[in-house]
Amino acid sequence: MTIKILSVMLIGLGGGLAVGAGFVAVLTVFGILPRLMQISKTHARIRSYELSVILGVLFSSWYGLRDMTITSSPWLLVPIGLASGTFIGMLAAALTEVLNVLPILMKRVGFKEQVLILLMAILFGKVFGSLFHWIFFVHL
């Protein structure tokens, strides 16, 4: 029984380390955090970025392992949803910027001078798509 428990703990630890290493590798290889610091001009707060990533991963992992639901006012969920959406949007924007998706797309489509129009179309598409999903498909 003890060997079984220890082996499950070892496998869980190994899986967690593999997923954590993969997450750090994605952030490092794509250069998301350095680019975010460069755009926002917050190089002096590198420790805050590191702490935010570590605490975010730890909390998300802990919350994901629990069978919990947030039973509170829907108004409390609004800032949580905004923070989650901001994170996902910034991650997607950083990935597209690092991978040079937008310059390639603009060159192929012929939108060299209309960069702002393309960015606003992507932004409004994501916002309206998310709102549509939450209004019609999510029942709180």
Side-chain angles (χ1 to χ4, degrees):
M1 183 71 168
T2 304
I3 294 174
K4 184 177 180 181
I5 292 172
L6 288 175
S7 64
V8 168
M9 288 173 61
L10 185 64
I11 291 170
L13 179 65
L17 288 174
V19 170
F23 180 72
V24 170
V26 165
L27 290 178
T28 304
V29 168
F30 289 140
I32 293 171
L33 290 179
R35 183 66 179 139
L36 184 61
M37 286 186 288
Q38 181 183 10
I39 290 172
S40 63
K41 297 179 180 74
T42 55
H43 291 286
R45 299 186 180 208
I46 190 166
R47 296 287 181 213
S48 300
Y49 280 98
E50 292 172 350
L51 187 63
S52 298
V53 169
I54 291 168
L55 289 177
V57 168
L58 285 175
F59 177 74
S60 299
S61 299
W62 176 78
Y63 184 77
L65 291 173
R66 305 281 179 215
D67 189 24
M68 296 178 6
T69 56
I70 299 175
T71 55
S72 63
S73 168
W75 294 107
L76 180 65
L77 298 177
V78 169
I80 295 171
L82 285 173
S84 300
T86 302
F87 172 75
I88 291 171
M90 289 177 69
L91 187 63
L95 273 172
T96 55
E97 185 176 332
V98 168
L99 295 175
N100 292 326
V101 171
L102 293 180
I104 294 169
L105 179 67
M106 288 184 302
K107 186 184 256 186
R108 300 234 187 235
V109 177
F111 268 17
K112 288 184 181 178
E113 290 80 27
Q114 291 92 2
V115 177
L116 184 61
I117 294 172
L118 180 65
L119 289 175
M120 294 308 274
I122 292 170
L123 174 87
F124 286 127
K126 291 202 64 70
V127 167
F128 291 132
S130 296
L131 285 174
F132 180 80
H133 172 77
W134 278 97
I135 290 171
F136 292 107
F137 294 112
V138 177
H139 305 287
L140 296 175

